[in-house]
């Protein structure tokens, strides 16, 4: 009701753009022909520029200065904590992880992590409310209960962790390492969101990727998480794994639908054994063909949409009643290294080995090798390995790409007001690609706006690529967009 009153006072042009922003998400049709024509390599745009553009030997002093300035911001803050250890290797995995059963390694790691937390907190101060907290890895639940408790205590002692209902405190769960008591502990520590690594429920597929976890165990954990009061539960699924077929993946989707998690991330497996050594254990001959993969994607997407899920964009689905779907249809979605978020916390501090921080004018990544991370901290230095100071052109393009991802549209007049430049002139080189995208039904163009269509939502990465100044030189390093 309030929004319709606000719309009445808007000029007619602005009104039509606002309506485009606020259209409810409806089911796009997954046409295999259109999708396959746009199946290129491209970034996932969890940042712009992507991490591939970060420069080595980035100065920790620049990060120190930025943190000192960031203490004065009134925006809420986001923290990401990386726990790199895993008990077993999943052959497909390209994450930064250390496979070990030696729990004492986690104690040593945590001691260093606490020193890093201390250094960051001294520079950043404690005033900013942390509304978004994410534990990722690796396997955060590699830590035992005492270690998890101490880690949250250390964070709470150095930062202002929010206890508002709006907070998003999430943790990635490897179901094989978690039982009901861990869920109770995590809820007690303030986590309100879980992300479960499911990937596929088919036993043959699980065996081929060395990740065996029964449906019954995942189902029991899921039920307990509901009882414990987690507000949002997300499943990660992967299509394109060895021995998957469209029929077997459809059965996995059916089992997922028996449980109805709030959110689903549906990722495309990228087979890059030259870059990811563990993928050499996967038999290339067992991988599904490109056509079969596309069929899996279409079947999964159609089934999910027929069962109350909205396609948000960028591999993510959410129940229509979920906050993420509501935020998507009202232009309130945020994009970060962890994917989508509904919390406005535009700066992220990454803590731990390989973690990435995002501040107003820079990205910074910690050392990826544990010994190098430890050596820097032993020298009382921030463990910075790589980073990028953003140019004004980078920031303008980041702004446009984030707008497109978050609101599925772009208001050219608002751009001119914010940036002081004419949109079409600034992005002259994108015009031809935009016209082609319009002919292919991905966008609707007008003098004032770009509005992404339902089909275009499936190909958001491709549309963002039109505004990426670093392409095409580096596309070989990215996964396929579909
Ligand atoms: S998928 Fe998760 S549990 Fe498996 S190796 Fe990768 S980070 Fe570890």
């Amino acid at each position: 009701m309030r929004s319709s009153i606000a719309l009445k006072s808007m000029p007619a042009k602005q009104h039509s753009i606002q309506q485009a922003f606020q259209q409810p998400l409806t089911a796009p049709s997954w046409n295999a022909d259109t999708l396959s024509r746009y199946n290129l390599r491209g970034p996932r745009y969890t940042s712009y520029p992507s991490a591939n553009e970060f420069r080595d030997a980035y100065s920790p002093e620049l990060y120190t200065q930025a943190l000192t300035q960031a203490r004065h911001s009134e925006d809420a803050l986001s923290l990401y904590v990386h726990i790199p250890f895993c008990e077993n290797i999943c052959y497909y995995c390209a994450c930064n992880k250390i496979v070990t059963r030696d729990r004492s390694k986690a104690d040593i790691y945590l001691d260093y992590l606490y020193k890093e937390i201390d250094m960051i907190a001294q520079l950043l101060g404690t005033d900013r409310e942390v509304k978004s907290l994410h534990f990722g890895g690796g396997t955060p639940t590699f830590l035992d209960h005492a270690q998890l408790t101490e880690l949250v205590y250390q964070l709470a002692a150095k930062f202002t962790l929010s206890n508002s209902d709006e907070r998003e405190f999430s943790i990635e769960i490897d179901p094989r390492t978690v039982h009901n008591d861990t869920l109770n502990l995590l809820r007690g520590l303030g986590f309100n969101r879980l992300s479960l690594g499911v990937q596929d429920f088919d036993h043959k597929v699980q065996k081929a990727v060395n990740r065996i976890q029964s449906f019954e165990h995942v189902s029991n954990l899921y039920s307990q998480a509901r009882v414990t009061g987690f507000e949002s539960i997300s499943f990660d699924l992967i299509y394109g794994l060895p021995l998957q077929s469209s029929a077997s993946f459809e059965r996995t989707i059916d089992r997922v639908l028996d449980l109805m998690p709030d959110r689903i991330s549906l990722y495309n497996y990228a087979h890059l054994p030259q870059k990811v050594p563990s993928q050499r254990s996967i038999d290339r001959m067992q991988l599904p063909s490109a056509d079969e993969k596309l069929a899996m994607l279409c079947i999964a997407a159609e089934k999910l949409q027929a069962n109350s899920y909205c396609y948000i964009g960028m591999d993510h689905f959410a129940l229509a009643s979920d906050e993420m779907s509501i935020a998507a249809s009202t232009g309130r979605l945020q994009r970060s290294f962890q994917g989508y978020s509904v919390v406005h916390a535009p700066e992220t501090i990454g803590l731990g080995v390989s973690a990435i921080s995002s501040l107003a004018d820079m990205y910074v990544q910690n050392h990826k090798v544990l010994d190098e991370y430890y050596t820097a901290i032993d020298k009382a230095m921030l463990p910075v390995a790589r980073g990028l100071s953003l140019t004004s052109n980078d920031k303008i393009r980041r702004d446009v790409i984030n707008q497109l991802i978050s609101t599925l549209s772009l208001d050219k007049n608002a751009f001119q007001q914010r940036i002081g430049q004419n949109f079409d002139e600034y992005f002259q080189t994108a015009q031809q690609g935009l016209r082609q995208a319009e002919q292919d039904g991905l966008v609707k163009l007008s003098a004032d706006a770009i509005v992404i269509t339902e089909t275009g939502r499936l190909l958001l990465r491709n549309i963002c690529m039109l505004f990426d100044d670093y392409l095409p030189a580096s596309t070989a390093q990215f996964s396929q967009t579909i």
Side-chain angles (χ1 to χ4, degrees), residues 86 88-90 92-93 95 97 137-139 174 176 199 211:
C86 299
N88 296 294
I89 187 132
C90 311
Y92 55 81
C93 176
C95 296
K97 75 271 176 190
T139 308
D174 175 350
R176 298 169 300 172
Q199 327 311 358
R211 185 185 176 114

Side-chain angles (χ1 to χ4, degrees), residues 83-99 137-140 172-174 176-177 197 199 209-211 238 278:
I83 306 297
F85 305 107
C86 299
E87 260 184 43
N88 296 294
I89 187 132
C90 311
Y91 296 149
Y92 55 81
C93 176
C95 296
N96 191 285
K97 75 271 176 190
I98 295 159
V99 179
T139 308
E172 294 167 14
I173 296 282
D174 175 350
R176 298 169 300 172
T177 62
Q199 327 311 358
V209 297
N210 198 38
R211 185 185 176 114
I238 304 180
S278 65

Side-chain angles (χ1 to χ4, degrees), residues 238-447:
I238 304 180
Y239 67 96
L241 293 174
L243 299 179
Q244 271 180 338
S245 66
S246 45
S248 78
F249 199 57
E250 186 171 4
R251 286 193 294 276
T252 284
I253 297 293
D254 286 339
R255 307 210 89 176
V256 170
L257 290 171
D258 289 340
L259 302 179
M260 298 293 280
D262 305 281
R263 299 174 187 176
I264 293 169
S265 303
L266 179 60
Y267 296 115
N268 171 12
Y269 169 61
H271 191 62
L272 301 165
Q274 62 286 12
K275 266 184 77 180
V276 185
S278 65
Q279 293 184 353
R280 292 178 200 148
S281 301
I282 288 178
D283 181 351
R284 177 182 286 274
M285 301 306 288
Q286 293 182 339
L287 291 173
S289 67
D291 285 350
E292 187 72 357
K293 278 177 76 174
L294 205 49
M296 283 181 225
L297 173 64
C298 293
I299 288 170
E302 276 163 18
K303 280 217 142 176
L304 292 175
Q305 290 179 144
N307 284 276
S308 306
Y309 286 89
C310 294
Y311 181 63
I312 305 294
M314 299 286 193
D315 315 317
H316 286 69
F317 294 80
L319 283 173
S321 54
D322 187 86
E323 226 185 323
M324 186 173 282
S325 297
I326 296 163
S329 59
T330 51
R332 289 186 296 108
L333 267 189
Q334 313 286 321
R335 186 83 174 147
S336 74
F337 282 103
Q338 282 70 59
Y340 284 112
S341 161
V342 297
V343 167
H344 179 71
E347 292 182 313
T348 299
I349 304 297
L351 299 161
V353 68
S354 78
I356 298 178
S357 301
S358 165
L359 294 171
D361 296 335
M362 69 166 57
Y363 296 117
V364 164
Q365 182 165 31
N366 283 350
H367 287 289
K368 287 183 178 177
V369 176
L370 207 50
D371 283 345
E372 292 172 11
Y373 173 76
Y374 290 166
T375 302
I377 292 176
D378 279 336
K379 291 181 187 162
M381 288 168 59
L382 289 170
V384 169
R386 308 192 305 149
L388 191 69
S389 298
L390 302 189
T391 65
S392 57
N393 181 40
D394 288 336
K395 286 192 272 186
I396 289 169
R397 288 171 187 271
R398 175 174 69 174
D399 183 62
V400 165
I401 287 171
N402 282 344
Q403 287 280 317
L404 288 169
I405 293 173
S406 308
T407 67
L408 301 173
S409 54
L410 193 123
D411 182 336
K412 296 182 190 176
N413 296 323
F415 174 89
Q416 179 136 16
Q417 277 167 18
R418 272 197 317 277
I419 311 293
Q421 304 243 27
N422 177 280
F423 180 88
D424 289 330
E425 286 170 14
Y426 195 90
F427 291 108
Q428 243 170 17
T429 54
Q431 297 305 320
Q432 194 185 343
L434 283 170
R435 282 193 294 275
Q436 183 63 51
E438 186 176 40
Q439 277 177 29
D440 291 328
L442 311 189
V443 294
K444 284 187 184 149
L445 302 179
S446 69

